[in-house]
Amino acid sequence: MSDAPLEPSPGQVTIDLDALADNWRALARLAAPGRCGAVVKADAYGIGLDKAGPALWSAGARVFFVAQFGEGLAARRILPEEATIYVLNGLEKDAGPADYAQHRLRPAIGSEDELQRWSEEAARRGPASPFALHLDTGMSRLGFESLRALKDAVARKGTATGADLLMSHFVSSEIPADPINAAQIALFDAARAAFPTLPASLANSSGMFLDARPVYALARPGYALYGGNPTPGTPNPMRPVVTLTVAIQQTRWIEAGATCGYNAQWTAKRRTRLATLLAGYADGLPRGAGATDAKPGAEVVISHRRCPLVGRVSMDLTIVDVTDLPEEAVGPGVRAEFFGGTADLDDFATRSGTIGYQVLTGLGRRYRRDYLSHGPATDKGA
Ligand SMILES: *Cc1c(COP(=O)(O)O)cnc(C)c1O
């Protein structure tokens, strides 16, 4: 889990577990009368499953999704006994069905081969352990390739005995106008009609906000829990969870025409004051986050003002243009906020040429991590 240092560090990540719990409760209200799960793959999107898991449980989450078997084991250790845990990637080749069953991990089975292995094990052990059936409705990634393939496989293996969830995954739910959303919902509805007794799950964070509200029995939000905007281009309905601040080490003035950073990608158009921040791509910052002469870049907030990153991000350092700040507002030790309360995660990621998901899951190991939790744990959103 998060083995990041607690000693002082120039880069500090603050994780607001109360905001995480609030976000889950808000999504649970949106999902009602369906249930709301919590996707905690990739160490809870980089924020630390050991802290996020219990906070989500206290908020009322009972159904959790990880990507890999190994993550399922970790989640099983961290979460209370009664937690339901699905493994989205399915039945891996290196972990047998018995391993999943032993730890009560429910694979999202997406091929006849996986279904075969699962039902053989069930035949050996008696009553089948629960699992999900995963139908591919457009991602061409995981899941049964068509409803016909799914129906045939289930027919050949007898029944879907033990299956307790029918799921699929959106391709473009963060773009509500994309016609593929409706096409996927139609395919999924046909599958639901074919398996009318199975609880159904289709929506990720953004899927929950589509006009069609395709939540069915169970929603599977991840990103929105952690403060990401599930409705890009419109105001973020979620509370920010993760704040990243990085300290300044040095400042300097450079003349118009001078450049900064590797390969001299950015040229000062005026006499410019630069500040150098103590984090770089080794800490997960996108290498292309800084402006170049060819394109604008991301911004950080220093003393309540937005300041552009300039030049290539280096391994351990990032340069920011602070010319427009009062001279005395900037100096060694002053912190720049990359995202959090005042700077926006999605905005930072977009301007850096990536997405907030990648920024969160890439948060580096050198940052100090502080977890905030004030309110008493409650259960009222369940
Ligand atoms: C990651 C994932 C989710 C969660 O998606 P978000 O966009 O983070 O809400 C849901 N379902 C599946 C299959 C996933 O892989």
Side-chain angles (χ1 to χ4, degrees):
M1 294 307 101
S2 37
D3 52 4
L6 281 176
E7 57 270 17
S9 164
Q12 296 200 2
V13 175
T14 306
I15 294 155
D16 185 341
L17 295 173
D18 294 334
L20 174 68
D22 266 0
N23 285 343
W24 185 84
R25 285 188 284 258
L27 292 168
R29 283 192 292 276
L30 185 63
R35 298 178 79 195
C36 188
V39 180
V40 295
K41 60 192 179 186
D43 202 22
Y45 287 52
I47 81 164
L49 176 62
D50 51 350
K51 302 290 196 306
L56 289 163
W57 176 272
S58 296
R62 293 295 177 268
V63 182
F64 296 81
F65 295 87
V66 296
Q68 305 182 345
F69 173 75
E71 294 181 336
L73 292 182
R76 184 48 82 212
R77 277 196 299 276
I78 287 162
L79 292 167
E81 275 272 302
E82 310 89 282
T84 295
I85 303 172
Y86 289 98
V87 178
L88 290 167
N89 289 357
L91 199 49
E92 293 167 18
K93 210 66 184 174
D94 295 335
D99 301 318
Y100 285 71
Q102 184 192 342
H103 300 282
R104 292 174 298 112
L105 301 176
R106 306 182 184 192
I109 285 182
S111 71
E112 185 155 356
D113 169 65
E114 290 170 64
L115 189 59
Q116 169 74 28
R117 291 168 60 211
W118 193 255
S119 41
E120 276 168 9
E121 176 64 18
R124 259 199 303 277
R125 291 168 58 102
S129 306
F131 65 97
L133 284 169
H134 185 178
L135 175 68
D136 182 6
T137 53
M139 195 68 124
S140 304
R141 191 178 68 166
L142 287 179
F144 287 90
E145 283 162 39
S146 63
L147 178 53
R148 169 112 325 268
L150 171 57
K151 287 205 294 207
D152 287 352
V154 166
R156 276 196 284 272
K157 301 304 154 219
T159 62
T161 311
D164 70 347
L165 192 68
L166 176 68
M167 61 163 277
S168 190
H169 190 46
F170 277 118
V171 170
S172 287
S173 56
E174 78 283 11
I175 307 170
D178 193 323
I180 198 167
N181 293 314
Q184 288 189 277
I185 291 171
L187 284 172
F188 193 65
D189 283 341
R192 288 171 55 235
F195 297 94
T197 59
L198 280 186
S201 176
L202 177 60
N204 66 331
S205 299
S206 295
M208 297 178 71
F209 288 84
L210 292 174
D211 284 341
R213 292 278 185 265
V215 165
Y216 307 106
L218 178 65
R220 304 191 310 270
Y223 187 51
L225 291 173
Y226 309 103
N229 188 355
T231 59
T234 70
N236 189 349
M238 313 317 298
R239 285 183 59 186
V241 172
V242 184
T243 301
L244 171 64
T245 66
V246 177
I248 293 168
Q249 180 72 358
Q250 283 195 8
T251 63
R252 71 194 57 229
W253 286 95
I254 62 171
E255 297 304 321
T259 62
C260 70
Y262 283 117
N263 310 123
Q265 293 287 295
W266 183 85
T267 310
K269 293 191 182 58
R270 56 176 175 171
R271 196 169 120 80
T272 297
R273 188 170 182 225
L274 299 177
T276 301
L277 304 172
L278 290 170
Y281 64 75
D283 301 290
L285 297 177
R287 183 163 178 262
T292 68
D293 292 336
K295 64 153 194 67
E299 298 170 337
V300 294
V301 173
I302 302 173
S303 291
H304 314 289
R305 294 279 290 273
R306 298 173 68 92
C307 307
L309 301 180
V310 291
R312 284 249 187 282
V313 170
S314 335
M315 185 183 292
D316 313 292
L317 300 167
T318 299
I319 304 168
V320 53
D321 179 348
V322 293
T323 315
D324 294 333
L325 290 184
E327 178 114 26
E328 66 285 359
V330 185
V334 169
R335 293 192 159 269
E337 184 179 294
F338 280 69
F339 45 84
T342 49
D344 180 68
L345 169 65
D346 287 85
D347 182 67
F348 172 75
T350 306
R351 290 174 189 262
S352 301
T354 182
I355 56 175
Y357 293 71
Q358 188 170 29
V359 171
L360 287 185
T361 56
L363 281 174
R365 304 228 155 245
R366 293 193 291 197
Y367 297 141
R368 175 194 161 101
R369 285 177 176 236
D370 291 304
Y371 291 88
L372 305 181
S373 176
H374 307 105
T378 58
D379 222 319
K380 55 180 179 274

